[in-house]
Amino acid sequence: MPDRRQPDSPTDDNPFAAPPEGRPDQPWQPRSGGDGGNGDGNGPGDSGGQRGPARWDPTDPVQRRARYALLAGMWGFFFGIFGIPSVGLLLGALALYWGISALRGKPAATTGEPGAPTGLDALGPAARPQRTAAVSGLVTASLAILLAMSSYALQLAYKDFYVCRDDALTKSAELRCNTLLPDNVIGKVLKVPQ
């Protein structure tokens, strides 16, 4: 078996390795965000220490609503795609509300000064992921509402076809309902297959 050598480079960043010879042991300190760290206890998630963006704070209503907007909009879009427009419409409306209130709301730790920024702008650099989540929630909510409304519009415009198809007891009676559809792309999509 060939001889395995240990790397001699000083860039080896193994946290479990013994300290180099001649250097005393140091007490354990948590790692910082990659900037060398000063051991003051402020991690990369602290918003007071300008060293990195703040982490998600579940107690902040603005950040919570931004995440809710993204999740509700995404699920509303999926329900609209899979043919459950009522749930898609509900989730889309909730996502619109949460997204708008996240973009306009005041974060939990505001200074209260009259000229201070409000909404997600008050979070500074930490607002970027929250703003992205809120805007993505607004986009998916708009798509979910659009899908739900188009589904309801189709059902209203071709009500005779849907009533005929739902009341048909046999396959041949269901196929006769195809005569109630127009001869265009929508009619070909809604047509009962043979």
Side-chain angles (χ1 to χ4, degrees):
M1 187 166 196
D3 184 24
R4 293 187 183 184
R5 293 186 187 181
Q6 295 294 330
D8 294 331
S9 67
T11 60
D12 188 26
D13 191 22
N14 184 358
F16 303 108
E21 289 185 33
R23 187 169 159 198
D25 288 342
Q26 294 178 343
W28 180 85
Q29 292 180 347
R31 288 187 181 202
S32 64
D35 58 347
N38 54 5
D40 61 356
N42 289 337
D46 291 340
S47 59
Q50 300 302 324
R51 295 186 333 189
R55 291 186 182 175
W56 181 55
D57 181 16
T59 60
D60 188 2
V62 171
Q63 295 183 30
R64 212 173 39 230
R65 287 178 182 162
R67 299 291 173 111
Y68 288 167
L70 177 62
L71 289 172
M74 181 178 60
W75 280 107
F77 178 72
F78 287 146
F79 278 112
I81 289 285
F82 294 126
I84 309 173
S86 57
V87 178
L89 184 63
L90 172 70
L91 288 174
L94 282 172
L96 270 180
Y97 168 73
W98 283 325
I100 291 170
S101 64
L103 290 174
R104 296 184 65 196
K106 296 180 181 175
T110 56
T111 58
E113 299 171 6
T118 59
L120 287 175
D121 293 333
L123 292 175
R128 184 174 177 212
Q130 309 310 326
R131 185 176 292 113
T132 303
V135 170
S136 300
L138 287 174
V139 169
T140 54
S142 301
L143 290 173
I145 291 174
L146 182 68
L147 283 172
M149 297 310 262
S150 62
S151 173
Y152 287 137
L154 276 176
Q155 290 178 15
L156 187 62
Y158 302 113
K159 184 177 181 181
D160 294 337
F161 167 74
Y162 283 106
V163 169
C164 176
R165 191 189 68 181
D166 291 340
D167 291 344
L169 297 176
T170 63
K171 184 68 176 180
S172 61
E174 192 175 7
L175 286 172
R176 272 185 259 142
C177 295
N178 287 341
T179 59
L180 299 172
L181 291 172
D183 191 23
N184 58 16
V185 176
I186 295 174
K188 291 177 183 176
V189 169
L190 296 177
K191 184 166 73 170
V192 178
Q194 292 184 3

